[in-house]
């Protein structure tokens, strides 16, 4: 199923994989108002659709996403408008939808990811990057603080001290350094990116969706709660997973020395 969210964002669902494609290559997939709204709506649609078992976010052209469209933003500044409205209306709900989606989210980082574009990639559970990819937390270079959840996701990826450095002294982070820092999970040649992400997405779409959702919830909870609180939540989530059809089928398959077939419930 293909659904054009706008001229600059496409959304497709095929065999349990919901693919959100930024398609504004002439502007390096920068985020004007129409693109931000469509991206937010696509993320919400994918997160809430039970037939979607994994979400992929990708860009076209030579960039993943370079963040806010500064030409449009300059016009907004001239008209006396700030950024608070678009942060609350577009960026915040987009990041909430991806981070809290009860299914895996993959980012296929084909090229440069800067500012809100880098934060968009960091909101994914797994980032597969082309060897031509790069990152830049460029907010401070234009006199801004982080948005799009970067002040939440980045410290969890690299630690608070390194996050402060990357945000206060922004510079381009090449793919080798990005891999060393843990900003990406796998680096592949550019010509292999789509196939690699497709294979991983298909594997996860055929996996235990409820267990994936519980894993995301437990890890996120554990980062902000005590051990005892996390143990209690683990018990609740494990009980819920144990009641799923996937768990029952997997136990039967294990005992029969067969490969389990997960149905996502």
């Amino acid at each position: 199923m293909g659904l054009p969210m706008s001229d600059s964002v496409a959304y497709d669902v095929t065999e349990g994989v919901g693919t959100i494609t930024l398609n504004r290559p002439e502007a390096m997939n920068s985020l004007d108002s129409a693109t931000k709204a469509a991206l937010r709506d696509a993320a919400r649609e994918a997160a809430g659709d039970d037939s979607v078992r994994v979400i992929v976010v990708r860009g076209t052209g030579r960039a993943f996403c370079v963040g806010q469209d500064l030409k449009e933003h300059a016009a907004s500044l001239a008209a006396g408008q700030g950024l608070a409205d678009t942060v609350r209306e577009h960026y915040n709900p987009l990041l909430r939808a991806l981070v809290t989606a009860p299914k895996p989210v993959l980012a296929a980082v084909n090229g440069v990811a800067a500012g809100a574009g880098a934060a968009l990639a960091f909101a994914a559970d797994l980032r597969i990057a082309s060897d031509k990819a790069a990152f830049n937390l460029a907010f401070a270079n234009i006199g801004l603080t982080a948005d799009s959840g970067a002040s939440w996701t980045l410290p969890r990826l690299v630690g608070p001290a390194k996050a402060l450095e990357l945000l206060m002294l922004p510079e381009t982070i090449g793919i080798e350094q990005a891999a060393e820092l843990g900003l990406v999970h796998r680096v592949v040649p550019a010509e292999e990116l789509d196939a690699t992400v497709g294979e991983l997405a298909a594997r996860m779409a055929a996996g235990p969706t409820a267990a994936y959702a519980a894993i995301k919830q437990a890890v996120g909870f554990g980062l902000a709660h005590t051990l005892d609180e996390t143990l209690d939540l683990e018990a609740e989530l494990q009980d819920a997973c144990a009641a799923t059809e996937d768990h029952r089928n997997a136990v039967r398959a294990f005992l029969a020395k067969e490969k389990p077939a997960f149905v996502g419930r």
Side-chain angles (χ1 to χ4, degrees), residues 150-261:
S151 58
W152 189 89
T153 55
L154 189 60
R156 285 164 167 77
L157 293 174
V158 301
K162 193 64 178 181
L164 284 170
E165 177 188 347
L166 296 178
L167 288 166
M168 289 183 170
L169 301 171
E171 58 183 28
T172 299
I173 304 165
I175 194 58
E176 290 185 5
Q177 184 185 5
E180 291 173 359
L181 289 172
L183 294 177
V184 298
H185 296 86
R186 191 180 308 174
V187 179
V188 298
E191 63 273 14
E192 297 177 14
L193 179 64
D194 288 344
T196 300
V197 173
E199 290 171 5
L200 180 58
R203 172 185 171 184
M204 301 193 83
T209 310
Y212 291 152
I215 289 168
K216 286 184 64 169
Q217 184 179 351
V219 171
F221 185 91
L223 287 169
H225 292 80
T226 66
L227 173 62
D228 283 342
E229 290 170 329
T230 304
L231 290 173
D232 287 341
L233 179 67
E234 284 184 345
E236 293 175 15
L237 294 174
Q238 200 68 295
D239 201 34
C241 287
T244 63
E245 184 177 345
D246 277 347
H247 175 66
R248 292 193 297 271
N249 289 343
V251 170
R252 284 195 293 266
F254 177 83
L255 294 175
K257 295 182 171 53
E258 298 172 350
K259 184 176 180 180

Side-chain angles (χ1 to χ4, degrees), residues 54-55 98-107 120-128 157 182-185 204 212-213 215-217 219:
V54 61
I55 301 170
L98 294 177
V99 171
T100 65
K103 59 202 71 175
V105 178
L106 311 180
L120 175 61
F122 298 157
D125 300 309
L126 298 174
R127 282 160 297 286
I128 313 303
L157 293 174
L183 294 177
V184 298
H185 296 86
M204 301 193 83
Y212 291 152
I215 289 168
K216 286 184 64 169
Q217 184 179 351
V219 171

Side-chain angles (χ1 to χ4, degrees), residues 6 8-9 22 24 29-40:
S6 75
S8 55
V9 176
L22 284 160
R24 202 175 176 228
N29 296 322
S30 61
L31 301 169
D32 61 6
S33 294
T35 303
K36 286 181 287 189
L39 187 58
R40 174 202 62 201

Side-chain angles (χ1 to χ4, degrees), residues 123-146:
D125 300 309
L126 298 174
R127 282 160 297 286
I128 313 303
S130 154
D131 56 5
K132 296 181 179 179
F135 297 86
N136 194 313
L137 280 302
F139 301 102
N141 282 341
I142 53 172
L144 293 175
T145 183

Side-chain angles (χ1 to χ4, degrees), residues 72-130:
E72 183 183 79
H73 178 55
S76 297
L77 288 176
Q81 300 172 358
L83 279 169
D85 287 346
T86 194
V87 167
R88 295 191 178 100
E89 180 182 349
H90 298 125
Y91 291 130
N92 289 356
L94 165 63
L95 272 293
R96 285 193 187 101
L98 294 177
V99 171
T100 65
K103 59 202 71 175
V105 178
L106 311 180
V109 187
N110 56 304
V112 63
L120 175 61
F122 298 157
D125 300 309
L126 298 174
R127 282 160 297 286
I128 313 303
S130 154

